[in-house]
Amino acid sequence: MKRLTRRDFLAAGGVVSVATLAAGCSFGTGQQKAAGSGGSKSATIWDISTGDQQKLIKDTVAHFDSTHKDISVSVQFFQNDPYKNKLRTAMGAGNPPDIFFGWGGGILKSYVDAGKVYPLPPNSVDTKKFFSSVMRPVTFNGKVYGVPMLGTQPVLFYYNKEIFGKYNLKPPKTWSELLSIVKTLSQKGVTPITLAGQNKWPDLMYEEYLVNRVGGPKPFQNVLDKKPKAWSDPAFIKANTMIQQLVSMKAFPSNFASLNYDTGQSTQLLYTGKAAMQLMGAWDYQAILSNAPQFIKSGKLGWFPFPKVEGGKGNPQNVAGNLTNYYSVTQASKAKKAATTFLDKGIMNDFEINGLIKIGLVPPVKGIQSKLKQQKDSDWLLFVYDLAQNAPYYDLSWDQALPAQAAQALLTNLDLLFLKKITPQQFSKNMNKAMGL
Amino acid sequence: MSRRLSWSISLMLLPAVAFFVVFALGPMIAAVYISLLDWNGISTPHWVGFGNWAKAFTDSVTLHSIFLTVQVMVLSWIVQTPISLLLGVFLAGRQRYRALLGVFYFLPLLFSAVAIGLIWASSMLSANGALNSFLKAIGASSLTNDWLGNPNIALYAVIAVIAWQFIPFHTLLYQAGTRQIPQVLYEAARIDGAGTLQQFFYITLPQLKYTVVTSTILILTGSLTYFDVIYVMTGGGPGYATRTLPLQMYITAFQDAQIGYGSAIAVILAVVGVLLSLIMIRLTGFGRMESQAEGL
């Protein structure tokens, strides 16, 4: 007789309780081939992908399962915010899955510091095929704690070509060109740049780019290294002054503070012609494609990299964004070997890479230009690919690079900065205080 | 009647007591213990004694959220009490049209808090929402506002939505309370020549004293724990403009991953809530459960 283990029981309980919470998600694609008997050969994944990505992950796992008869992998999907709490609780309670989805950076670091993440043995996974920049957020003290598993998502400007054409504007190469476009558009009564201020993280994109353009990667590296008064660096003051200047010029919609990205409010302004530009991650392309495919098909959507800042120290080719997402193996896993094999052979193989490209995502893998060229939207895919590949420095989104508390303080203070409730000087002071620098 | 509990009564109480201990008392004690730790939920916790408590009373964000919570309490009471009292008295009448109107008044009671928050945030109070469109339509464009995005207004917008959500419930209390008032009192008053207003102020209002107390306790303690609607509508923003104490607790514990500090705030919330109820009960004589029908 097969006995249910405590683990199975807990896993089942977890699935049931989350199922009741997050209706609309589906769970457990995996066929539990050897549940109970060969525990060390079966691995469970927790993931938060939705839509096309979720389907691709399921297919990728099924493909691996069918080609590796000795290992069984199953995947469960959760919603973003509940997932973060659930993972933290499960890690603390010692019953996490074998493989978990993550963003690298500060949150992963806190799990690594607590001894919850399994360092992948050297050469157990081929990481050389990835852009070296995307391995940085999962490498601590020379050890690798995660493997890229989705597309790379740099942040860039999207613009409405129709509006630009109407007022004879060209995509700006420099910050002052951008400012003059903002000025022209607001005189004509068009909102220059839409901004989902309610989510706060879109504010952060301006901060990341401007600080990087003004002062290079060093000022924020000092913050990560906990140097005293790191937030008082002149680059932060300068960047924040530029942000407030943009706000004063009415570059953003008057109600930007209550615009939400998740409900599509901010992007809608772009494709309905009410706003001319939006600074957003590469994922916005999929959002527009599913909400207003006609806008892309008729060639009205354009894009350009964040302009360079005159006199700035940073390389204008540097980019910021979500490098990619990662799968990591937990220290508590009883199937570390099977899980590691899956990370090496099961993901970012030709099967998944082709699948990602097909749904418009750009895998951070070297030498796939020829594959991208064959696609219908190859101009978009190649633009993103080159932006990410040619970046001398790829800045991981700061709310992911920083530990949770500092990230929250940063987002709230940026909110206040954009609302002009605090000055750039107060911003630096608040952040130094929040991080004890 | 014997004051001693017989074994059978004790036995029947057991499930309830067990539930209370496991799901109320236990977590409370655990929260007090955790509030003495510096813990991010995954690493080994460190003992910090009353460090988190000291922080709770000096941290400007927490102090600000306490101030906001008091504002929510006071304003909620001021807005909700008169409206629900008047509506309740109105709906206590037995006329058919009042019953019909009652159906509409009580509708918000049936909606989930998340649905209320989403609807108000996305279609009523948003830039192109119903409220701004209405203001434009009546030619008051200057009054349009970014209701939830303006840090000077967001709190009042939130209080208004909370009032919309809870007034029906309190109306129900007042309706039931008013219907309990013996008709003989009104008959006697009418014979003495009392008008409608006099009947309201000399009979209805005094007779509703304990309903007012109940409703007030519920509004005040409820304000301490209002979370869902605010979280859905503003997430505590813009800036810190609507980050009341329950939001501060949640954000601290689950987003900042400072579980110890979050627990300290949770314990403060629980203690203030219990104290508030006790004070209200003591001040009003509600605890003695005096009968108002006495002497009839």
Side-chain angles (χ1 to χ4, degrees):
Chain A
M1 201 183 93
K2 222 162 54 174
R3 271 180 48 210
L4 277 174
T5 63
R6 194 178 98 86
R7 225 187 119 71
D8 292 338
F9 188 71
L10 287 172
V15 169
V16 170
S17 62
V18 170
T20 52
L21 277 175
C25 286
S26 59
F27 301 94
T29 59
Q31 318 86 316
Q32 292 280 348
K33 272 182 210 158
S37 52
S40 65
K41 290 288 185 192
S42 70
T44 306
I45 307 172
W46 283 4
D47 195 312
I48 63 162
S49 306
T50 55
D52 285 345
Q53 288 180 27
Q54 186 180 99
K55 189 172 174 301
L56 176 64
I57 299 290
K58 284 180 185 173
D59 291 347
T60 305
V61 167
H63 179 256
F64 177 82
D65 261 14
S66 66
T67 49
H68 290 74
K69 296 292 177 202
D70 55 330
I71 298 175
S72 149
V73 179
S74 65
V75 55
Q76 297 174 2
F77 294 99
F78 304 91
Q79 287 196 331
N80 189 344
D81 286 333
Y83 168 76
K84 289 175 188 162
N85 284 336
K86 186 175 169 61
L87 183 67
R88 179 171 290 274
T89 313
M91 287 281 199
N95 55 3
D98 301 289
I99 299 172
F100 66 97
F101 176 100
W103 295 262
I107 297 173
L108 182 65
K109 179 93 186 340
S110 66
Y111 286 129
V112 169
D113 288 345
K116 304 289 184 189
V117 190
Y118 174 63
L120 299 171
N123 302 321
S124 63
V125 175
D126 172 24
T127 55
K128 287 191 194 69
K129 64 184 171 192
F130 301 108
F131 297 170
S132 57
S133 57
V134 304
M135 294 309 295
R136 196 166 43 89
V138 287
T139 308
F140 305 106
N141 294 326
K143 291 184 181 138
V144 174
Y145 291 89
V147 178
M149 44 74 67
L150 277 182
T152 186
Q153 314 262 29
V155 170
L156 51 116
F157 266 109
Y158 295 82
Y159 73 100
N160 185 323
K161 281 185 175 169
E162 203 174 25
I163 297 179
F164 268 53
K166 192 172 165 193
Y167 300 110
N168 225 351
L169 301 168
K170 280 206 304 277
K173 292 259 186 297
T174 64
W175 184 251
S176 47
E177 281 175 32
L178 180 75
L179 291 185
S180 84
I181 291 175
V182 165
K183 215 166 145 192
T184 311
L185 287 170
S186 60
Q187 276 165 1
K188 305 284 182 193
V190 178
T191 303
I193 310 174
T194 174
L195 173 66
Q198 196 186 34
N199 302 86
K200 303 189 183 97
W201 50 259
D203 299 351
L204 181 59
M205 296 172 170
Y206 287 88
E207 178 80 5
E208 287 162 357
Y209 263 118
L210 285 171
V211 170
N212 197 301
R213 292 284 188 268
V214 170
K218 190 92 178 112
F220 185 65
Q221 192 56 47
N222 288 341
V223 168
L224 289 178
D225 297 342
K226 301 199 174 250
K227 298 261 172 70
K229 303 277 171 246
W231 288 98
S232 303
D233 191 289
F236 288 107
I237 307 278
K238 173 100 192 288
N240 290 337
T241 311
M242 291 161 83
I243 286 175
Q244 291 199 325
Q245 188 194 3
L246 213 52
V247 176
S248 301
M249 289 173 72
K250 305 209 182 305
F252 306 117
S254 59
N255 64 326
F256 74 85
S258 60
L259 280 185
N260 192 308
Y261 181 79
D262 303 326
T263 58
Q265 288 170 324
S266 65
T267 305
Q268 200 176 26
L269 293 181
L270 178 75
Y271 62 71
T272 54
K274 295 205 173 75
M277 295 174 269
Q278 171 160 250
L279 183 64
M280 192 39 75
W283 56 84
D284 207 31
Y285 187 83
Q286 270 84 33
I288 299 173
L289 200 58
S290 63
N291 290 316
Q294 209 47 47
F295 186 71
I296 292 180
K297 277 184 201 133
S298 57
K300 287 181 193 160
L301 180 71
W303 47 80
F304 57 88
F306 196 92
K308 75 172 191 205
V309 171
E310 294 91 336
K313 273 189 246 166
N315 188 320
Q317 285 197 304
N318 288 349
V319 290
N322 290 3
L323 278 59
T324 183
N325 293 109
Y326 305 89
Y327 276 158
S328 302
V329 180
T330 56
Q331 197 61 266
S333 166
K334 292 196 175 63
K336 292 194 187 79
K337 189 135 199 299
T340 310
T341 307
F342 174 73
L343 294 193
D344 186 33
K345 302 272 187 268
I347 53 170
M348 286 301 184
N349 45 21
D350 282 345
F351 183 88
E352 199 199 348
I353 289 176
N354 291 337
L356 285 169
I357 295 173
K358 210 165 281 165
I359 58 174
L361 291 173
V362 178
V365 176
K366 292 174 191 160
I368 55 168
Q369 285 97 331
S370 55
K371 282 186 182 184
L372 296 173
K373 265 188 203 126
Q374 292 159 11
Q375 301 299 313
K376 308 205 273 303
D377 37 9
S378 59
D379 49 345
W380 160 255
L381 294 171
L382 284 168
F383 174 79
V384 173
Y385 188 77
D386 289 341
L387 195 64
Q389 192 188 26
N390 299 338
Y393 179 81
Y394 196 155
D395 201 2
L396 174 65
S397 295
W398 293 359
D399 53 347
Q400 291 160 11
L402 289 169
Q405 184 208 350
Q408 286 299 320
L410 172 62
L411 291 175
T412 307
N413 276 293
L414 274 173
D415 192 15
L416 294 170
L417 184 86
F418 273 72
L419 290 164
K420 296 210 279 182
K421 284 271 165 187
I422 55 173
T423 63
Q425 286 74 16
Q426 282 168 318
F427 174 92
S428 297
K429 204 175 130 225
N430 291 352
M431 284 311 300
N432 282 332
K433 199 174 145 213
M435 289 185 66
L437 302 178
Chain B
M1 205 180 96
S2 164
R3 286 195 159 265
R4 285 225 331 262
L5 292 173
S6 73
W7 67 270
S8 60
I9 294 178
S10 314
L11 198 68
M12 280 188 260
L13 274 177
L14 203 63
V17 171
F19 264 93
F20 182 73
V21 169
V22 172
F23 292 109
L25 214 54
M28 277 291 285
I29 293 168
V32 172
Y33 172 68
I34 293 172
S35 76
L36 304 174
L37 305 174
D38 175 19
W39 187 37
N40 67 4
I42 40 172
S43 60
T44 322
H46 299 286
W47 183 263
V48 289
F50 286 93
N52 287 326
W53 287 81
K55 196 170 162 193
F57 292 106
T58 48
D59 178 2
S60 61
V61 177
T62 302
L63 290 177
H64 176 69
S65 70
I66 292 175
F67 170 66
L68 287 179
T69 308
V70 173
Q71 262 185 295
V72 171
M73 269 200 226
V74 173
L75 290 174
S76 288
W77 189 84
I78 292 177
V79 173
Q80 293 181 28
T81 303
I83 299 180
S84 32
L85 176 63
L86 291 177
L87 274 178
V89 171
F90 172 73
L91 291 175
R94 304 272 176 190
Q95 293 89 332
R96 175 83 40 100
Y97 76 96
R98 297 194 186 195
L100 192 71
L101 286 175
V103 171
F104 293 106
Y105 289 142
F106 294 140
L107 266 183
L109 212 52
L110 305 174
F111 301 153
S112 89
V114 174
I116 290 175
L118 283 175
I119 289 170
W120 276 89
S122 65
S123 58
M124 304 295 285
L125 298 174
S126 60
N128 300 314
L131 182 56
N132 280 347
S133 307
F134 172 74
L135 289 172
K136 274 179 204 150
I138 62 167
S141 305
S142 59
L143 290 179
T144 58
N145 212 311
D146 183 17
W147 303 102
L148 295 174
N150 183 334
N152 302 321
I153 292 182
L155 185 72
Y156 305 108
V158 164
I159 289 172
V161 175
I162 290 172
W164 184 84
Q165 183 191 7
F166 285 102
I167 282 175
F169 172 73
H170 295 281
T171 304
L172 206 60
L173 287 183
Y174 285 113
Q175 184 198 35
T178 311
R179 284 187 174 167
Q180 297 282 321
I181 302 171
Q183 283 302 315
V184 286
L185 294 177
Y186 292 103
E187 284 163 20
R190 274 199 292 275
I191 288 166
D192 291 344
T196 316
L197 271 186
Q198 281 165 316
Q199 286 178 29
F200 177 76
F201 281 108
Y202 293 108
I203 300 173
T204 313
L205 210 49
Q207 289 286 321
L208 284 176
K209 183 178 159 196
Y210 291 130
T211 314
V212 175
V213 172
T214 311
S215 161
T216 302
I217 292 177
L218 288 174
I219 291 177
L220 295 187
T221 53
S223 314
L224 269 183
T225 51
Y226 285 151
F227 173 80
D228 30 26
V229 170
I230 308 182
Y231 185 73
V232 170
M233 287 207 301
T234 65
Y240 298 105
T242 57
R243 196 188 277 196
T244 56
L245 208 50
L247 270 95
Q248 169 68 355
M249 171 191 85
Y250 174 81
I251 291 169
T252 306
F254 297 110
Q255 293 187 352
D256 295 6
Q258 295 178 280
I259 311 243
Y261 185 28
S263 297
I265 298 173
V267 174
I268 293 174
L269 263 173
V271 170
V272 173
V274 170
L275 280 181
L276 206 68
S277 316
L278 287 178
I279 291 170
M280 287 299 297
I281 288 170
R282 189 52 66 82
L283 278 183
T284 54
F286 182 74
R288 294 192 290 280
M289 283 290 169
E290 294 158 325
S291 164
Q292 286 167 285
E294 237 170 344
L296 262 178

